[in-house]
Amino acid sequence: MEPSDLAGMALIAAAGPEEALAFIRGGAPSSPVLEAEMTALLSEAGTARWPGLADALGRWRPRLPSLAPERDMGVMERLGGGLLIPEDPQWPPALDDLQLNAPIALWMRGQLPRIPEQRRCIALVGSRDSTSYGANVTGELASSLVQRGFTVVSGGAYGIDANAHRGALAAAAGGGASPSTLAVMAGGLDRFYPPGNEGLLRAIAGQGALVAEVPPGTNPTRYRFLQRNRLIAALCEVTVVVEARWRSGALNTAHHAEGLSRSVGAVPGSVYSANSAGCHRLLREGAAVCVTDAAEIAELAGSAGNNLASEPDAATALHDGLGVEDLLLLDALPLRSATSAEKLSVVAGLGMATVLAGLGRLELMGLARRATNGWQRGAD
């Protein structure tokens, strides 16, 4: 079954995994009772109509001769990995939010005994053809997040994904928290894809983990890349899009996260950059929150009142907090020459009593100064 094959997930949910495989192998053309149960499950998942069990069996049965679970397990054992199933204690409960879209199992390769819990995982995703701006921002965000104790999750691809993993690994090498990063792959874990990232993916396996829902030997196709995105979104508390074009796979991940009621952040970029058009689209549509540093991302990942980002330091001006009448009066005061209270009343549009009281307040604050021939602006 392909990832997120809803008919297959419904069959497993209705009959159980072992019984589902036995039924597919059994050769029966269909089963009215089983098909009715599957139809009910698919309807609950939002699939009102489907071709039926006979059609699905026609897709699954030709693949039976290629099944070799013992071989696949042997391959993963040689690579230092294994298989994780929903019945295992280490199974990430965050994936249960996918309901019928949840994976059947997860293949893992690396050093992690288990996938970190959802609240400690942050996804950093974006364009494969990232700019230097995107690369720098991603590296800084990933490094800072790891230093805050988060695990950075991405897809192992070129561009933003690669820079997210590199930033996380660099922080871990510098004494940051571990595990630093997790790569969710679209193909089998017996090969490193894309080939240009082989060194990076080996490093991720050495310090974190590689994860896939497809067995060894499976090619990473476009469909599998898109389906992989739902796993990234489900595993993470927050998904951040650093750079994305108007139609980008990273937006697919963000929309999965939004559908799962996860927090979504987007890093703003230049209005002239096509690589940031997707981020600006998310912000304009209200699907994402603007984030500019790791503190703001950590705030999104925290429960109400936790991980709050500190306000940037800024010097307060003396006229901060003035009322409207005092501000009008302050604006009416000349800087170099002096003027009378009567003229200030005309310029500011205030009554004489209000002007005289306001001048007293401004004088105490050092914003107004009494001269020999009237009043003028003080040192503000």
Side-chain angles (χ1 to χ4, degrees):
M1 297 174 183
E2 285 294 324
S4 200
D5 184 334
L6 289 182
M9 303 304 117
L11 174 62
I12 293 171
E18 294 183 8
E19 293 79 3
L21 181 58
F23 176 76
I24 295 172
R25 281 177 166 159
S30 186
S31 167
V33 174
L34 196 54
E35 184 161 339
E37 294 181 18
M38 292 171 62
T39 300
L41 288 168
L42 290 167
S43 179
E44 291 177 10
T47 303
R49 299 179 61 184
W50 66 297
L53 185 53
D55 178 84
L57 290 170
R59 292 187 287 109
W60 301 329
R61 281 179 174 158
R63 291 185 163 188
L64 285 173
S66 63
L67 291 181
E70 294 82 5
R71 177 200 62 197
D72 294 339
M73 290 295 294
V75 169
M76 291 308 300
E77 286 176 6
R78 289 194 297 274
L79 295 174
L83 182 67
L84 193 62
I85 60 175
E87 292 75 17
D88 290 330
Q90 296 84 8
W91 181 260
L95 293 178
D96 296 339
D97 291 345
L98 290 169
Q99 299 179 350
L100 209 57
N101 270 304
I104 300 172
L106 289 178
W107 298 87
M108 291 187 64
R109 175 180 180 182
Q111 301 302 312
L112 296 186
R114 63 187 306 153
I115 295 174
E117 56 185 326
Q118 173 193 329
R119 67 183 184 88
R120 303 309 301 172
C121 288
I122 306 290
L124 296 181
V125 296
S127 297
R128 286 172 172 79
D129 60 336
S130 60
T131 65
S132 58
Y133 163 79
N136 291 335
V137 169
T138 304
E140 291 176 4
L141 290 177
S143 177
S144 296
L145 287 169
V146 169
Q147 290 169 8
R148 290 171 178 267
F150 291 99
T151 296
V152 172
V153 180
S154 199
Y158 295 130
I160 296 300
D161 286 18
N163 284 290
H165 294 305
R166 290 192 184 101
L169 291 171
S178 182
S180 62
T181 190
L182 180 75
V184 184
M185 312 301 291
L189 300 184
D190 55 326
R191 57 178 290 203
F192 295 111
Y193 186 90
N197 279 352
E198 179 175 347
L200 172 63
L201 295 172
R202 287 188 182 278
I204 295 171
Q207 296 186 36
L210 305 176
V211 177
E213 64 178 315
V214 293
T218 304
N219 292 322
T221 62
R222 177 175 176 78
Y223 173 81
R224 291 167 186 155
F225 273 111
L226 290 173
Q227 292 304 314
R228 175 276 309 271
N229 292 341
R230 81 191 195 286
L231 303 184
I232 295 176
L235 289 171
C236 297
E237 185 74 14
V238 181
T239 292
V240 177
V241 183
V242 182
E243 275 190 327
R245 291 180 175 269
W246 184 260
R247 296 176 62 85
S248 168
L251 301 186
N252 176 259
T253 308
H255 291 317
H256 278 301
E258 184 185 17
L260 292 167
S261 298
R262 307 286 200 262
S263 296
V264 179
V267 176
S270 168
V271 296
Y272 300 109
S273 173
N275 281 58
S276 290
C279 295
H280 299 157
R281 177 183 179 183
L282 289 172
L283 294 171
R284 185 173 62 254
E285 293 174 350
V289 175
C290 178
V291 292
T292 59
D293 58 26
E296 293 173 351
I297 298 172
E299 182 176 326
L300 283 180
S303 56
N306 292 332
N307 298 344
L308 296 179
S310 58
E311 292 291 333
D313 294 331
T316 57
L318 287 175
H319 50 73
D320 285 350
L322 289 181
V324 174
E325 293 175 343
D326 288 352
L327 283 173
L328 289 171
L329 185 57
L330 181 63
D331 289 338
L333 282 167
L335 290 171
R336 295 178 178 83
S337 60
T339 189
S340 66
E342 291 78 5
K343 287 186 178 180
L344 287 173
S345 175
V346 174
V347 174
L350 301 171
M352 182 59 66
T354 302
V355 169
L356 293 175
L359 287 172
R361 288 191 295 270
L362 294 178
E363 184 179 22
L364 288 174
M365 298 175 67
L367 297 177
R369 184 167 60 86
R370 194 190 304 265
T372 56
N373 55 344
W375 293 86
Q376 66 182 107
R377 182 84 65 90
D380 60 349

